[in-house]
């Protein structure tokens, strides 16, 4: 049965070819880049169903054999319903990043079964109109209403899934959900509405021109543009460079397909120019994307390596702390004996010694004192890092404590020819709830450091408080060697010591300031340091909580 | 487990195969469906539908036609599958004993309801044309 040849409009070729090629291209790239991922498979299934729909549409408008057109006509309903249900399934997997539960998949199937089972019956199609070479007037209205309603049901269902996903975002960012929502809802709205409205108008005889249906196909192109954004911007489908290539090719196809309907020379020239410009921009885009992806992959690989190295370092650091702790404990016991006996020897408990022997004993005493301090620092670091540092906080008068430490170190200052003074400006009783011994150790360390690194001039200790902030401060200001910005940045790190030749001879472990700050922070305080530069003196501030 | 995981895709593929096979059999093999075709009509003798290539009322050379609705299998039996009905004399009228065949001439009232057709009939007091278009 042959019907009259139908003159197809130019938009027919443009809508069918362009939308199919763009859709299949994007979906195929996504599928080939992750053929084991359900999400990629479903996107491909949606695209394939849509392309089959356009193929059915293309054949039904271009063929003249009534039998053949009738035999493919039922697939309009079948594929429309399939697209709707697949879209719901696709969005579910997109949002939750897992397969839909078995019962839900059965519901999807149940929605489809009536359309599939009755597709070849009179409920779907009763006959064919050879006069107009279509079958609109023979379509079953309830059947058509059912599969058209499925499209709108899909829109509502998808909106619900996306809304729920947006409120409880776990696998996707909110922007991804919004982009997917806009893309797929626009597609379903344009596709279903134009298809339903156009064919209904033709069925009821209000028009014999169903060109409106063609414009509905561009809904899929809109959706694919959103999918492409998700691919390039968010890597939502685990696709990298290839997606960008597909996007550029799709753009070229879109522009190039204008040749199918442009008839004037000017139109052809403009299309050619547009095609060339799009091609050039596309190549630039691809280069940038390629570069960006390579950089991103390199950074990701480095981050993984860095993370592993960091774990290894942490483990080594722990081992080192344990080793230092054990070694320090074993060193401390014999050292205590050496210090005790040398002290007794110097005090004359074992009789008198010649002057040279006494000088040697004094050196032994000095060296063992430094060793004891160093071991105590190592043990403190070990305790801090293992979280075993204990603080026994009591009410301490900070001003009196600072005075006590200053008195202890005055002899050392005098020996070096330095002026060590203490000033105060207090609006409170200067009471702080802190560990007395540790606070004393911190203040001692800071003043001792100031004396060590000051060749001439003075060291001033200034105690003051801020009642509003409930803080008390012990500032140590010296006229010593000062510090560069570089030194200040690493000053409170472990084993950090000034590197200039001026201080090379000064004894120290490089742990004092690290321990001081950790202890201060352990007592809800802090230690900070300032300097205007090398040779311009230093300024350390110990901050402690003030009891009112 | 595999079946449970793939039940959706398996069922869809199976149903698509069934739909394709059933449609192919019904429309291509059994030709079990109705066909509506248009045939040349003489407005002097019958009430004819008018088709104007340019559309609208003012048509210098309108085409006059009437419709015949019948079983596709019967049409193929009469004309074969390669001919247009207008090229086949046997398609112009219902055959005696044909199970389902209906000849449809233009009915101004009926077509007014539908709102799309134009009729021309000798019976309209030589008014020659009833242009009924909404």
């Amino acid at each position: 049965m042959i019907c009259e040849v139908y003159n197809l409009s130019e938009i027919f070729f443009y809508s069918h070819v362009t939308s199919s090629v763009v859709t299949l291209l994007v979906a195929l790239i996504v599928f080939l880049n992750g053929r084991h991922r359900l999400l990629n498979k479903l996107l491909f299934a949606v695209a394939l169903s849509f392309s089959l729909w356009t193929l059915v549409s293309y054949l039904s408008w271009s063929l003249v054999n009534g039998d053949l057109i009738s035999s493919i006509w039922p697939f309009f309903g079948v594929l429309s319903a399939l697209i709707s249900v697949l879209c719901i399934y696709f969005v579910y997997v997109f949002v939750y990043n897992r397969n839909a539960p078995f019962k839900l998949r059965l519901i999807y199937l149940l929605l489809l079964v009536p359309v599939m089972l009755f597709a070849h019956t009179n409920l779907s199609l009763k006959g064919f109109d050879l006069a107009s070479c279509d079958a609109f007037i023979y379509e079953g209205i309830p059947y058509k209403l059912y599969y058209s309603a499925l499209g709108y049901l899909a829109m509502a269902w998808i909106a619900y899934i996306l809304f729920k996903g947006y409120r409880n975002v776990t696998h996707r960012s909110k922007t991804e959900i919004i982009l997917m929502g806009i893309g797929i809802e626009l597609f379903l709205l344009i596709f279903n509405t134009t298809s339903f409205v156009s064919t209904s108008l033709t069925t009821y005889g209000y028009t014999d021109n169903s060109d409106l249906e063609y414009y509905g196909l561009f809904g899929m192109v809109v959706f694919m543009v959103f999918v492409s954004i998700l691919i390039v911007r968010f890597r939502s489908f685990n696709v990298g460079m290839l997606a960008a290539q597909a996007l550029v090719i799709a753009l070229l196809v879109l522009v190039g397909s204008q040749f199918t309907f442009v008839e004037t020379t000017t139109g052809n020239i403009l299309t050619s120019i547009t095609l060339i410009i799009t091609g050039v921009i596309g190549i630039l885009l691809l280069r940038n994307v390629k570069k960006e992806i390579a950089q991103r992959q390199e950074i990701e690989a480095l981050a993984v390596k860095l993370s592993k190295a960091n774990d290894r370092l942490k483990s080594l650091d722990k081992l080192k702390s344990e080793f230092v702790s054990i070694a320090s404990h074993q060193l401390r016991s014999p050292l205590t004996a050496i210090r005790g006996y040398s002290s007794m020897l110097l005090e004359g408990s074992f009789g008198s010694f010649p002057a040279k022997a006494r000088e040697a004993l004094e050196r032994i005493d000095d060296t063992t004192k430094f060793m004891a301090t160093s071991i105590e620092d190592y043990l403190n670091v070990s305790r801090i890092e293992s979280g075993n540092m204990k603080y026994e906080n009591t009410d301490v008068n900070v001003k009196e404590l600072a005075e006590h430490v200053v008195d202890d170190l005055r002899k050392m200052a005098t020996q070096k020819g330095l002026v060590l003074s203490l000033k105060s400006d207090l609006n409170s009783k200067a009471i702080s709830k802190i560990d007395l011994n540790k606070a004393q150790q911190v203040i001692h360390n800071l003043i001792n450091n100031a004396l060590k690194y000051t060749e001439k001039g003075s060291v001033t200790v200034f105690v003051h408080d801020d009642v509003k902030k409930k803080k008390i401060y012990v500032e140590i200001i010296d006229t010593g060697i000062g510090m560069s910005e570089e030194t200040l940045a690493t000053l409170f790190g472990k084993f950090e010591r000034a590197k200039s030749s001026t201080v090379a001879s000064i004894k120290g472990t490089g742990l004092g300031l690290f321990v001081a700050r950790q202890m201060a922070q352990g007592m809800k305080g802090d230690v900070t340091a300032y300097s205007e530069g090398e040779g311009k003196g230093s300024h350390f501030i110990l901050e402690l909580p003030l009891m009112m | 487990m595999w079946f449970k995981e793939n039940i959706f895709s398996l069922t869809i593929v199976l149903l698509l195969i069934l739909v394709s096979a059933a449609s192919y059999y019904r429309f291509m093999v059994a030709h079990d469906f109705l066909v509506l075709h248009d045939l040349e009509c003489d407005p002097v003798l019958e009430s004819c539908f008018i088709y104007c290539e340019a559309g609208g009322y003012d048509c210098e050379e309108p085409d006059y036609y009437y419709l015949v609705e019948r079983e596709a299998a019967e049409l193929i039996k009469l004309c074969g599958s390669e001919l247009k009905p207008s090229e086949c004399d046997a398609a112009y009228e219902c055959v005696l004993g044909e199970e389902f065949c209906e000849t449809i001439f233009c009915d101004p009232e009926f077509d007014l309801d539908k709102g799309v057709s134009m009729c021309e009939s000798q019976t309209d007091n030589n008014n020659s044309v009833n242009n009924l278009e909404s």
Side-chain angles (χ1 to χ4, degrees):
Chain A
M1 291 180 301
I2 308 295
C3 51
E4 299 293 338
V5 178
Y6 185 81
N7 288 325
L8 297 169
S9 61
E10 290 146 356
I11 189 71
F12 175 83
F13 296 104
Y14 186 63
S15 62
H16 283 68
V17 176
T18 309
S19 57
S20 285
V21 172
V22 170
T23 306
L24 269 183
L25 200 67
V26 175
L28 199 63
I29 294 292
V30 169
F31 176 66
L32 292 177
N33 273 267
R35 62 184 72 185
H36 301 298
R37 292 188 79 217
L38 180 60
L39 186 68
N40 297 29
K41 283 186 203 171
L42 284 169
L43 182 70
F44 183 65
V46 172
L48 191 64
S49 305
F50 173 79
S51 296
L52 284 173
W53 194 97
T54 56
L55 181 68
V56 168
S57 173
Y58 187 89
L59 292 174
S60 64
W61 291 114
S62 55
L63 291 174
V64 289
N65 187 318
D67 297 340
L68 198 52
I69 299 172
S70 303
S71 67
I72 61 171
W73 200 273
F75 284 92
F76 278 118
V78 168
L79 291 168
S80 290
L82 190 56
I83 290 168
S84 303
V85 171
L86 281 172
C87 281
I88 304 172
Y89 193 0
F90 168 74
V91 169
Y92 184 93
V93 177
F94 177 82
V95 170
Y96 296 108
N97 206 29
R98 59 178 157 81
N99 199 355
F102 182 68
K103 281 182 186 172
L104 200 55
R105 277 179 283 154
L106 280 183
I107 293 172
Y108 296 156
L109 280 176
L110 283 174
L111 289 171
L112 273 177
V113 163
V115 184
M116 298 281 205
L117 286 183
F118 299 117
H120 69 287
T121 66
N122 277 343
L123 281 173
S124 158
L125 193 66
K126 252 174 141 176
F128 188 77
D129 181 359
L130 278 172
S132 54
C133 212
D134 60 47
F136 289 119
I137 61 166
Y138 284 112
E139 284 182 330
I141 301 301
Y143 181 84
K144 186 172 179 138
L145 279 176
Y146 179 78
Y147 76 71
S148 300
L150 263 187
Y152 294 102
L153 173 75
M155 284 180 66
W157 198 333
I158 285 168
Y160 173 73
I161 295 171
L162 290 169
F163 179 70
K164 266 184 80 179
Y166 185 86
R167 287 184 65 183
N168 310 302
V169 179
T170 50
H171 302 288
R172 301 278 174 201
S173 72
K174 288 189 172 181
T175 317
E176 276 182 279
I177 289 176
I178 290 171
L179 285 173
M180 175 55 76
I182 295 171
I184 204 159
E185 292 283 6
L186 270 178
F187 159 59
L188 287 172
L189 180 71
I190 297 170
F191 178 68
N192 286 314
T193 306
T194 52
S195 176
F196 179 69
V197 170
S198 165
T199 56
S200 297
L201 287 176
T202 316
T203 304
Y204 287 109
Y206 290 109
T207 176
D208 58 353
N209 183 355
S210 57
D211 280 5
L212 180 65
E213 184 184 291
Y214 308 154
Y215 295 99
L217 303 181
F218 292 115
M220 184 48 118
V221 179
V222 172
F223 176 42
M224 284 299 143
V225 167
F226 279 88
V227 167
S228 301
I229 294 169
L230 286 168
I231 290 169
V232 176
R233 177 73 183 80
F234 298 95
R235 299 179 75 192
S236 303
F237 298 87
N238 283 5
V239 179
M241 180 64 189
L242 283 171
Q245 286 170 344
L247 195 64
V248 170
I249 294 169
L251 273 173
L252 291 173
V253 170
L254 268 173
V255 177
S257 59
Q258 290 183 60
F259 283 119
T260 58
F261 67 89
V262 173
E263 288 174 343
T264 62
T265 312
T266 316
N268 278 320
I269 291 170
L270 285 173
T271 307
S272 304
I273 292 169
T274 315
L275 196 62
I276 292 166
I277 293 171
T278 312
V280 172
I281 293 170
I283 290 167
L284 291 174
L285 175 73
L286 285 179
R287 279 187 183 172
N288 278 336
V289 171
K290 193 178 176 183
K291 198 174 162 187
E292 195 184 313
I293 288 171
Q295 283 173 342
R296 194 161 52 189
Q297 284 171 344
E298 201 176 326
I299 290 167
E300 282 171 359
L302 280 173
V304 172
K305 278 185 187 173
L306 202 62
S307 172
K308 282 181 183 171
N310 196 33
D311 290 344
R312 175 86 184 128
L313 275 175
K314 277 182 186 168
S315 136
L316 283 173
D317 197 43
K318 198 180 170 192
L319 282 174
K320 179 216 67 187
S321 295
E322 284 169 8
F323 168 75
V324 169
S325 174
I326 293 163
S328 302
H329 275 109
Q330 287 180 0
L331 283 171
R332 197 161 64 165
S333 308
L335 196 63
T336 308
I338 295 168
R339 283 186 70 189
Y341 281 111
S342 66
S343 181
M344 285 164 73
L345 285 166
L346 281 170
E347 284 166 5
S349 303
F350 300 103
S352 57
F353 294 95
K356 280 194 176 179
R358 192 173 178 77
E359 194 181 326
L361 277 171
E362 278 172 354
R363 282 194 180 180
I364 290 170
D365 193 50
D366 280 350
T367 313
T368 49
K369 268 182 189 167
F370 174 70
M371 276 186 76
T373 311
S374 300
I375 288 168
E376 197 54 43
D377 278 350
Y378 294 140
L379 281 169
N380 280 332
V381 171
S382 179
R383 286 185 198 115
I384 288 165
E385 291 188 339
S386 61
N388 289 328
M389 183 67 92
K390 300 278 185 277
Y391 295 90
E392 291 173 10
N393 293 341
T394 53
D395 289 352
V396 176
N397 187 313
V398 177
K399 188 193 168 195
E400 285 174 9
L401 181 65
E403 281 171 348
H404 177 71
V405 177
V406 166
D407 286 343
D408 277 355
L409 291 168
R410 198 175 301 281
K411 187 183 168 189
M412 182 181 166
T414 311
Q415 281 172 349
K416 279 193 80 175
L418 301 171
V419 178
L420 176 61
S421 59
L422 185 134
K423 294 176 185 172
S424 63
D425 179 12
L426 293 164
N427 300 307
S428 67
K429 290 178 181 173
I431 303 295
S432 182
K433 200 170 185 67
I434 48 177
D435 186 309
L436 175 65
N437 291 329
K438 290 185 177 60
Q440 184 175 350
Q441 194 179 329
V442 173
I443 296 170
H444 189 280
N445 182 292
L446 294 176
I447 300 174
N448 191 41
N449 265 357
L451 293 171
K452 277 199 292 186
Y453 293 104
T454 304
E455 288 302 311
K456 58 180 180 180
S458 63
V459 173
T460 308
V461 179
F462 178 43
V463 183
H464 63 101
D465 57 5
D466 186 330
V467 179
K468 280 184 185 170
K469 289 184 181 173
K470 294 186 178 174
K471 296 282 182 192
I472 184 159
Y473 304 93
V474 181
E475 296 191 23
I476 295 99
I477 306 147
D478 65 48
T479 55
I481 60 168
M483 290 171 284
S484 63
E485 277 187 23
E486 191 189 339
T487 307
L488 274 170
T490 57
L491 192 64
F492 292 98
K494 277 187 289 183
F495 304 106
E496 289 293 343
R497 297 199 62 209
K499 293 172 183 67
S500 76
S501 56
T502 327
V503 296
S505 59
I506 297 172
K507 281 183 181 178
T509 56
L511 292 170
L513 285 176
F514 171 78
V515 172
R517 174 177 262 185
Q518 294 295 322
M519 281 184 171
Q521 288 175 347
M523 294 183 289
K524 296 177 184 172
D526 201 2
V527 177
T528 46
Y530 305 92
S531 175
E532 288 181 6
E534 286 185 350
K536 293 179 179 174
S538 302
H539 185 173
F540 284 83
I541 303 171
L542 167 65
E543 174 191 311
L544 291 168
L546 179 67
M547 295 287 290
M548 299 302 292
Chain B
M1 190 65 189
W2 183 88
F3 178 76
K4 207 175 169 182
E5 276 297 304
N6 294 286
I7 187 168
F8 185 80
S9 49
L10 284 174
T11 315
I12 297 286
V13 170
L14 191 70
L15 285 171
L16 281 174
I17 292 169
L18 282 174
V19 171
S20 306
S23 290
Y24 181 81
Y25 179 78
R26 182 188 169 197
F27 295 101
M28 298 292 287
V29 179
H31 302 289
D32 177 22
F33 60 100
L34 296 173
V35 178
L36 186 72
H37 54 89
D38 57 342
L39 295 159
E40 282 176 37
C41 175
D42 183 353
V44 177
L45 301 173
E46 291 138 344
S47 176
C48 304
F49 294 101
I50 302 173
Y51 176 73
C52 227
E53 190 72 44
Y57 297 98
D58 304 321
C59 194
E60 287 181 5
E61 291 180 6
D63 291 321
Y64 299 104
Y65 67 95
Y66 67 95
L67 297 165
V68 177
E69 188 183 44
R70 64 191 344 146
E71 292 281 350
E74 193 62 34
L75 182 66
I76 287 172
K77 204 193 292 176
L78 292 170
C79 304
S81 56
E82 299 301 320
L83 281 180
K84 292 176 187 171
S86 57
E87 297 166 345
C88 169
D89 291 341
Y92 275 76
E93 54 190 34
C94 296
V95 179
L96 195 65
E98 195 174 342
E99 198 173 315
F100 179 83
C101 182
E102 192 181 352
T103 307
I104 306 162
F105 289 98
C106 193
D107 180 342
E109 282 186 24
F110 171 75
D111 291 315
L112 180 62
D113 290 341
K114 278 200 145 187
V116 288
S117 292
M118 293 181 281
C119 288
E120 182 167 324
S121 151
Q122 188 64 26
T123 56
D124 293 336
N125 301 324
N126 292 329
N127 284 339
S128 76
V129 177
N130 284 333
N131 286 328
L132 302 168
E133 188 170 57
S134 67

